[in-house]
């Protein structure tokens, strides 16, 4: 899924991707240098497998805002990756990351040229795990 520009609202979306070999696969990618907008994701799941970079990735001078509410991330190198050149702000409320499913880390907000992305909200961001088909919420994740 590619976000180019404008306001994009995703609700009740299940995004899955399986990368093969040396793929650079993302579940959703915001990429359109110089573009802007707000991507709002609610009540959704990003589940990655194989050689995937991130469930949700924004980069290369995409200057929008990212809003997540009631979202689950599982698998990939990172569940959520937004460098400072991939957006102006990020908000997370009731966002869960499945512990042990990420190659490098649940999320990554890279600094670019000494600049960091603005975290506007970080509320009830938690680890989670599966017990059969039941999602079990775990410890809160401290805001970076």
């Amino acid at each position: 899924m590619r976000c180019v520009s404008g306001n994009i609202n995703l609700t009740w979306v299940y995004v899955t991707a399986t990368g093969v070999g040396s793929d650079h696969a993302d579940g959703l990618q915001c990429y359109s240098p110089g573009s802007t907008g707000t991507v709002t994701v609610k009540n959704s799941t990003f589940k990655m497998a194989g050689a995937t970079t991130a469930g949700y990735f924004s980069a290369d001078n995409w200057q929008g805002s990212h809003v997540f509410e009631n979202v689950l991330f599982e698998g990939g190198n990172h569940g959520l990756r937004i460098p400072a050149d991939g957006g102006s702000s990020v908000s997370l409320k009731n966002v869960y990351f499945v512990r042990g499913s990420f190659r490098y880390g649940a999320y990554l907000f890279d600094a670019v040229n000494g600049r960091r992305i603005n975290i506007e909200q970080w509320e009830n961001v938690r680890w989670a795990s599966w017990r059969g088909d039941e999602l079990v919420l775990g410890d809160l994740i401290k805001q970076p």
Side-chain angles (χ1 to χ4, degrees):
M1 192 178 316
R2 173 77 52 103
C3 296
V4 179
S5 66
N7 295 328
I8 300 163
N9 296 302
L10 303 171
T11 303
W12 296 108
V13 175
Y14 183 86
V15 178
T16 186
T18 301
V20 178
S22 61
D23 282 351
H24 173 91
D26 302 308
L28 180 148
Q29 183 184 83
C30 296
Y31 178 80
S32 182
S35 292
T36 190
T38 297
V39 180
T40 302
V41 181
K42 293 184 177 183
N43 306 315
S44 296
T45 297
F46 292 87
K47 184 174 176 124
M48 303 296 106
T52 53
T53 300
Y56 185 103
F57 182 59
S58 181
D60 300 325
N61 202 32
W62 194 89
Q63 292 300 307
S65 298
H66 310 275
V67 179
F68 301 92
E69 185 174 337
N70 302 321
V71 176
L72 176 68
F73 290 97
E74 182 174 1
N77 288 342
H78 299 93
L80 173 62
R81 184 172 180 196
I82 306 173
D85 70 345
S88 57
S89 67
V90 65
S91 297
L92 289 85
K93 179 180 179 182
N94 302 327
V95 173
Y96 312 115
F97 296 92
V98 176
R99 187 185 292 273
S101 69
F102 306 103
R103 180 176 292 157
Y104 300 122
Y107 61 87
L108 180 60
F109 302 131
D110 312 67
V112 176
N113 296 325
R115 195 179 78 191
R116 295 193 172 279
I117 192 164
N118 179 33
I119 299 173
E120 291 189 354
Q121 183 178 26
W122 188 273
E123 181 181 332
N124 196 34
V125 178
R126 295 179 173 272
W127 290 111
S129 60
W130 290 105
R131 183 182 306 130
D133 61 355
E134 177 186 1
L135 184 68
V136 178
L137 300 183
D139 295 334
L140 289 168
I141 300 173
K142 185 179 176 182
Q143 179 176 330

